[in-house]
């Protein structure tokens, strides 16, 4: 008699399954994060709030809605044609994600600034997330390699077309696909939040690098090569290579940002996280 598979553990805070290291969770064409709820939810249509949240988050990431600007229900109703309830729920979720802050002293809610301190926090969190990923990524996930290769093909195409928002989304998909193998929902939430903020920082960098197209082309070529090296390490199940490659890849955001901010104090960006590359006990 075939042994019945064990039920998935669920995160009661979100009602979603904690992914198993060897399970194929999503088809190659969909890399937007772990499935919510049970198997029956995999085909559910997005709610108006989900759609509103995706649109507004993207506008914050690409800075159409500028850092530090006020954001409220009226703006979302008038500018994005949302209902009041989806607008209110979207703002609440953006507050939870850290993109929007409630500031009673200023009488409203505001998009999180992107100043030196903020950039420093994003860079540090990014290097921390990728350092731990190198140590804990489950390389025995049979679907990991084909999924990464599929994302990389899309990523390469978007880089060629210089579609900055899509580039940052696919880069996030690439790394979160690896984070999902760990099977720790708390850490996945941290990594997901971090990569969302990295997206906004990268759009900031890419937009300013357009002033030097030759340099930007070289940087994108390097990023593509780094992704290919990560894919090769996964294919070879080379843990030592991943422990080195992933934090070094994260540092590239730091390097590109420092070039844009030459001669300026960037505070916490100077923090050295090399000690995090040692394997966890």
């Amino acid at each position: 008699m075939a042994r019945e598979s064990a039920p998935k553990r669920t995160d009661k805070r979100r009602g979603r399954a904690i992914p198993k290291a060897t399970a194929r969770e999503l088809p190659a064409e969909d890399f937007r994060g772990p499935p919510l709820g049970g198997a029956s939810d995999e085909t559910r249509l997005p709610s108006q709030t989900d759609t509103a949240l995706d649109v507004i988050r993207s506008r914050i990431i690409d800075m159409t809605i500028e850092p530090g600007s006020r954001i409220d229900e009226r703006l979302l109703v008038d500018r994005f044609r949302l209902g009041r309830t989806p607008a209110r729920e979207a703002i609440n979720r953006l507050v939870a994600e850290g993109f929007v802050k409630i500031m009673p002293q200023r009488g409203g809610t505001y998009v999180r600034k992107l100043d030196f301190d903020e950039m420093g926090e994003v860079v540090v969190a990014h290097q921390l997330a990728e350092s731990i990923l190198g140590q804990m990524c489950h390389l025995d996930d049979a679907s990991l390699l084909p999924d990464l290769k599929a994302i990389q093909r899309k990523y390469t195409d978007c880089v060629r077309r210089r579609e900055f928002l899509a580039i940052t989304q696919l880069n996030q998909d690439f790394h979160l696909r690896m984070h999902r193998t760990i099977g720790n929902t708390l850490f996945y939430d941290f990594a997901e939040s971090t990569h969302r903020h990295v997206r906004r920082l990268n759009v900031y960098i890419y937009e300013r690098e357009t002033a030097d197209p030759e340099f930007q082309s070289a940087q994108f070529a390097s990023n593509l090569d780094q992704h290919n090296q990560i894919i090769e390490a996964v294919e070879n199940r080379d843990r030592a290579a991943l422990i080195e490659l992933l934090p070094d890849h994260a540092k590239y955001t730091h390097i590109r940002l420092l070039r844009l901010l030459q001669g300026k104090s960037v505070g916490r960006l100077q923090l050295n996280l090399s000690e995090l590359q040692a394997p966890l006990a």
Side-chain angles (χ1 to χ4, degrees):
M1 180 182 296
R3 187 174 62 180
E4 188 177 5
S5 59
K8 293 182 179 179
R9 294 180 296 125
T10 58
D11 177 359
K12 294 182 180 179
R13 294 175 300 117
R14 289 184 155 185
R16 77 185 186 197
I18 299 175
K20 292 175 65 177
T22 58
R24 184 176 182 85
E25 297 136 312
L26 289 176
E29 65 270 20
D30 187 357
F31 303 96
R32 297 306 176 104
L36 300 177
S40 61
D41 285 342
E42 292 180 358
T43 58
R44 73 178 181 89
L45 296 175
S47 67
Q48 189 180 4
T49 299
D50 292 332
T51 301
L53 180 64
D54 287 342
V55 170
I56 299 162
R57 187 195 295 120
S58 293
R59 297 293 74 80
I60 291 174
I61 288 171
D62 69 12
M63 288 177 285
T64 301
I65 301 176
E66 296 181 355
S69 61
R70 181 167 180 161
I71 184 169
D72 54 26
E73 291 177 32
R74 174 53 57 189
L75 170 70
L76 302 187
V77 169
D78 293 345
R79 185 171 175 181
F80 294 98
R81 308 299 183 190
L82 301 177
R84 289 188 176 277
T85 298
R88 186 181 308 116
E89 292 177 354
I91 288 176
N92 289 338
R93 287 167 65 176
L94 288 166
V95 169
E97 292 179 5
F99 279 117
V100 170
K101 288 187 174 182
I102 299 172
M103 304 182 70
Q105 69 275 21
R106 295 179 60 186
T109 55
Y110 294 82
V111 176
R112 189 167 184 163
K113 293 182 179 179
L114 192 61
D115 54 21
F116 288 159
D117 285 342
E118 172 70 14
M119 291 175 181
E121 289 182 2
V122 172
V123 165
V124 169
H126 188 201
Q127 291 185 24
L128 174 61
E130 296 306 289
S131 294
I132 295 176
L133 176 60
Q135 300 165 41
M136 298 185 66
C137 178
H138 284 257
L139 301 178
D140 58 351
D141 183 332
S143 64
L144 177 60
L145 182 62
D147 284 354
L148 292 180
K149 287 182 176 180
I151 299 170
Q152 180 72 345
R153 287 192 293 270
K154 294 180 181 180
Y155 180 78
T156 301
D157 191 46
C158 287
V159 166
R160 179 179 58 80
R161 297 196 302 265
R162 295 297 191 267
E163 296 176 349
F164 296 155
L165 190 63
I167 289 168
T168 62
Q169 177 64 65
L170 288 163
N171 182 69
Q172 173 180 296
D173 294 343
F174 184 92
H175 290 274
L176 291 185
R177 178 61 187 88
M178 299 179 71
H179 278 285
R180 291 207 334 260
T181 69
I182 296 174
N184 184 316
T185 304
L186 290 176
F187 185 69
Y188 183 91
D189 287 347
F190 164 71
E192 182 179 47
S193 174
T194 296
H195 276 279
R196 283 173 174 165
H197 289 277
V198 169
R199 289 186 65 196
R200 187 167 69 144
L201 181 55
N202 277 335
V203 168
Y204 172 89
I205 292 170
Y206 299 161
E207 291 285 357
R208 281 148 186 81
E209 285 181 347
T210 57
D212 189 346
E214 185 176 349
F215 174 82
Q216 185 173 70
S217 293
Q219 296 308 299
F220 277 133
S222 182
N223 277 353
L224 288 168
D225 181 60
Q226 290 164 17
H227 273 199
N228 285 329
Q229 290 181 54
I230 291 168
I231 290 171
E232 182 179 356
V234 170
E235 185 169 19
N236 295 332
R237 300 193 178 188
D238 189 342
R239 172 75 59 194
L242 278 182
I243 288 173
E244 181 177 352
L245 286 169
L246 285 168
D248 282 351
H249 179 56
K251 288 176 186 176
Y252 236 71
T253 298
H254 182 179
I255 293 169
R256 293 172 81 161
L257 180 60
L258 285 177
R259 180 180 182 273
L260 295 175
L261 302 175
Q262 288 176 6
K264 297 181 180 180
S265 173
V266 289
R268 298 177 190 174
L269 292 177
Q270 303 295 343
L271 183 62
N272 185 348
L273 298 182
S274 59
E275 67 273 11
L276 294 174
Q277 297 181 32
L280 294 172

